[in-house]
Amino acid sequence: MSAIDHYINEVMEVGAGEARADGSAAVEAHHLLLGIAAHGDTAARTALATAGLDRAALRAALDREFEHSLNAVGVSPGALSLPSPAPDPDRRPGMGASVRLALERGFARVGRKRDLRPAHVLLGVLEAEVGTVPRALALAGVDRAELMTAVHRAADASPW
């Protein structure tokens, strides 16, 4: 198994843990993003950290996005006693559509799989025009285009 295979497996495992903690049946792009932010010493993680997006900051942005989405449909989270998710430690979340698309976009950035790097996976997540990740980043005041440029720069400066 190549280094990128190990990397993808590891960030997907972290993402699966995030999905379980959320009570989600599937690993989605925002779970993968949390996995990328939590994983090792990569150009992708460094670019996120430089933008102030460590795992805790991303989790806070995702929580704000959830509350904002509820408010958009007339539900005030503060007015309700929403139960905490009931994670099932035995359930293995499947791969959701948003993470499949993110990986496809990342893989499409390179001609050969052996050229794939963690930054390409992150770019695949960040390139989504709609969905949880772009809404959460917008609510956090993050300029996605600027962040993607930083990820490109970090990838060019570091082979991994």
Side-chain angles (χ1 to χ4, degrees):
M1 196 182 291
S2 69
I4 194 65
D5 289 326
H6 285 291
Y7 173 80
I8 291 171
N9 285 338
E10 289 170 10
V11 295
M12 285 298 293
E13 278 301 313
V14 173
E18 295 287 351
R20 271 192 300 280
D22 283 349
S24 179
V27 179
E28 295 294 351
H30 62 281
H31 299 122
L32 181 61
L33 182 59
L34 290 166
I36 292 168
H39 187 272
D41 186 23
T42 65
R45 182 177 181 200
T46 300
L48 287 172
T50 300
L53 297 171
D54 61 7
R55 190 215 169 272
L58 285 168
R59 181 81 258 173
L62 290 165
D63 290 344
R64 270 194 310 279
E65 186 280 332
F66 179 70
E67 289 180 16
H68 185 265
S69 293
L70 288 176
N71 282 326
V73 295
V75 176
S76 174
L80 300 173
S81 285
L82 294 175
S84 297
D88 180 354
D90 296 326
R91 181 170 52 181
R92 300 230 6 116
M95 190 182 301
S98 66
V99 81
R100 285 181 203 275
L101 291 170
L103 291 173
E104 285 176 16
R105 285 189 299 267
F107 288 11
R109 296 188 137 285
V110 296
R112 299 174 307 215
K113 182 180 173 195
R114 70 179 183 190
D115 296 331
L116 189 64
R117 300 290 181 261
H120 299 121
V121 176
L122 176 57
L123 287 167
V125 172
L126 296 175
E127 286 175 345
E129 294 294 325
V130 296
T132 302
V133 171
R135 285 191 309 266
L137 294 176
L139 287 168
V142 174
D143 181 328
R144 272 187 327 116
E146 189 176 297
L147 178 57
M148 287 189 291
T149 299
V151 173
H152 280 288
R153 268 189 253 130
D156 291 343
S158 169
W160 193 247

